[in-house]
Amino acid sequence: MPLPVITQAQTVTTPRLTTRVLTPGDPAGVPVLFVHGNLSAATWWEETMLRLPPGFRAIAPDLRGYGEADPAALIDATRGLRDFSDDLAALMDEMDISAAHMVGHSLGGGILWQMLADHPDRVLSMVQVAPSSPYGFGACKADGTPCFPDNAGSGAGAVNPEFAKLLAEGATGDETPFHPRAILNTYVWKPPFVPERMEDILASALAQQTGPQAYPGDAAPSENWPTVAPGKFGAINGMAPIYQTDPLAFTRAPNTPPILWIRGADDPICSDASLFDLGTLGQAGAVPGWPGDEVFPPQPMIAQTEAALAAYEANGAKVDRVVLSDCGHSPYLEQPGPFDAALHAHLAG
């Protein structure tokens, strides 16, 4: 892992997990908890945290399975994303934080849907940055129903094996489209943008823990297209729709903290035609044997999130929506000025 720009870094041990936590800002300030996404770590949030207004304290942990988190702490995918939300609640207990504003990116956004459902009293407000759908990621229909009963086409089996191999090897080049650097520069932000601290960003991505019980996790054989279904370990399996037992639980939370949903208009990952969803790839002819729209349509991730937030608003909540033009999957890295303006206004409100 690269040395952090933020000097306030510590190792925190809870009854659930030992991990690295970055904690810049006034220790007496209002806490803002930053939750990173897949292929990522707390490092990605450093500049955003340092730009917070006075009066706030930022907290950013390396999630279970990522960065400098204890590699012995596995992710039980059959619990969906609850291992992560329970880890965050335990971290808050250990740091004596009763409640916090929360900012989640991609997978981190999926974790925050679960956090609001399971620990609503810990959430002052939420900022969802290009979040995964509340229904999970991949191989499901508009109402969240898996395309097949075993959710074939989602989870670890949907991860490109060449990319997984290169990630496990710590490959730093970009000789093929499957190298981690190439994946970041093609999909995680909109080309030709490249972060100023690209080498640190890449190093923290390569610190992701790999293997059949980590990333991409295990897969189960299936008689359904594309012949693999989610296994039981790792974050990617944890995002499988089959393991999201009550995706809209957060919309019925007893308290309704305000939510800011901010995303890039050109996001190729969390979209209604995600290039990481086999429904989209099958429809485009990129994966042979696709069974068709009736059986396996592209997952409408934006439409699902919008419908869920509309239900949350019907429960009395306030939701703000910001879409940044000419921006991809990582607005806080790609367009820090507009992102900060929206974030800081949300926190001030």
Side-chain angles (χ1 to χ4, degrees):
M1 290 286 290
L3 292 174
V5 171
I6 293 169
T7 56
Q8 300 100 315
Q10 58 186 296
T11 298
V12 178
T13 298
T14 76
R16 293 184 52 81
L17 179 69
T18 295
T19 193
R20 178 189 71 148
V21 183
L22 305 182
T23 56
D26 181 0
V30 178
V32 184
L33 181 62
F34 289 84
V35 187
H36 67 77
N38 187 50
L39 199 63
S40 182
T43 299
W44 287 41
W45 289 117
E46 289 189 41
E47 284 76 15
T48 304
M49 292 192 289
L50 290 171
R51 294 191 302 264
L52 282 179
F56 291 96
R57 179 194 187 193
I59 300 107
D62 287 340
L63 295 173
R64 179 183 296 241
Y66 296 83
E68 294 183 9
D70 178 5
L74 302 180
I75 298 160
D76 179 357
T78 66
R79 300 187 72 225
L81 299 178
R82 285 187 172 88
D83 269 357
F84 295 111
S85 59
D86 289 347
D87 285 347
L88 294 179
L91 177 68
M92 294 173 73
D93 288 341
E94 185 67 28
M95 299 183 72
D96 198 24
I97 298 169
S98 59
H101 299 285
M102 299 188 181
V103 184
H105 176 222
S106 196
L107 163 68
I111 294 167
L112 292 192
W113 301 132
Q114 194 66 57
M115 189 76 184
L116 183 53
D118 291 347
H119 307 282
D121 56 319
R122 314 303 296 263
V123 184
L124 295 175
S125 77
M126 277 174 40
V127 180
Q128 290 283 26
V129 187
S132 58
S133 164
Y135 291 105
F137 195 98
C140 74
K141 300 183 179 181
D143 65 356
T145 303
C147 297
F148 296 111
D150 62 356
N151 210 177
S154 183
V159 174
N160 182 281
E162 181 64 16
F163 166 71
K165 173 178 173 289
L166 290 165
L167 181 69
E169 292 173 353
T172 60
D174 59 0
E175 296 91 329
T176 76
F178 306 111
H179 274 71
R181 184 189 298 270
I183 293 291
L184 293 174
N185 283 332
T186 303
Y187 301 106
V188 181
W189 37 78
K190 183 178 179 180
F193 173 81
V194 176
E196 184 176 343
R197 291 179 63 211
M198 179 63 194
E199 299 313 310
D200 288 349
I201 293 286
L202 177 62
S204 60
L206 293 173
Q208 182 163 324
Q209 296 158 23
T210 59
Q213 292 186 315
Y215 182 90
D218 55 334
S222 174
E223 295 180 353
N224 302 307
W225 184 83
T227 73
V228 285
K232 297 182 177 180
F233 293 98
I236 302 303
N237 285 323
M239 296 175 72
I242 198 172
Y243 295 138
Q244 315 312 311
T245 55
D246 190 358
L248 299 185
F250 81 92
T251 69
R252 305 187 299 273
N255 61 317
T256 54
I259 293 178
L260 167 64
W261 178 23
I262 182 166
R263 61 186 179 89
D266 304 318
D267 184 350
I269 297 177
C270 291
S271 77
D272 286 344
S274 172
L275 296 179
F276 288 75
D277 174 31
L278 289 183
T280 303
L281 296 176
Q283 188 182 66
V287 182
W290 177 60
D293 276 317
E294 191 76 20
V295 175
F296 205 118
Q299 180 186 355
M301 301 179 191
I302 299 298
Q304 288 175 338
T305 300
E306 178 56 55
L309 289 175
Y312 187 61
E313 287 176 306
N315 193 27
K318 181 179 185 294
V319 177
D320 291 317
R321 299 159 176 83
V322 175
V323 181
L324 299 179
S325 60
D326 195 30
C327 183
H329 186 60
S330 303
Y332 61 105
L333 295 176
E334 298 174 62
Q335 296 191 18
F339 179 86
D340 284 357
L343 171 62
H344 297 177
H346 170 82
L347 294 174

